[in-house]
Amino acid sequence: MSLDDKVTPLRPKRPCPECGKASAREHYPFCSARCKDIDLNRWLKGAYVIPGRDGEEEEDDSPKPGPGPKDAG
């Protein structure tokens, strides 16, 4: 039994999420710089979107109504 047989890899081997080929250490989890760039381009174009709740941003960004002006009369 060699020393390499006793070493547990830090990351499990997984296929490339773009093309399914074996992933490469220098481009993990992708197999190549090309697949890595394809994925980055999809993020930058907005193809991957994390859904949020409808109207959540509008409620947080709007100023909260304060007390109305008092009549001086």
Side-chain angles (χ1 to χ4, degrees):
M1 191 176 228
S2 68
L3 184 61
D4 291 337
D5 294 336
K6 296 178 185 179
V7 177
T8 304
L10 295 176
R11 296 182 221 160
K13 291 190 176 193
R14 300 168 61 187
C16 175
E18 289 299 320
C19 67
K21 293 180 184 175
S23 60
R25 173 174 275 196
E26 57 274 358
H27 302 292
Y28 190 83
F30 303 99
C31 67
S32 64
R34 179 182 178 273
C35 284
K36 195 174 187 179
D37 289 342
I38 289 170
D39 185 71
L40 177 61
N41 188 36
R42 286 185 181 153
W43 278 104
L44 295 175
K45 287 189 337 185
Y48 298 138
V49 178
I50 299 172
R53 289 186 239 158
D54 291 339
E56 184 176 299
E57 284 186 31
E58 295 171 9
E59 293 175 11
D60 293 339
D61 293 340
S62 62
K64 298 193 188 272
K70 295 182 181 178
D71 292 334

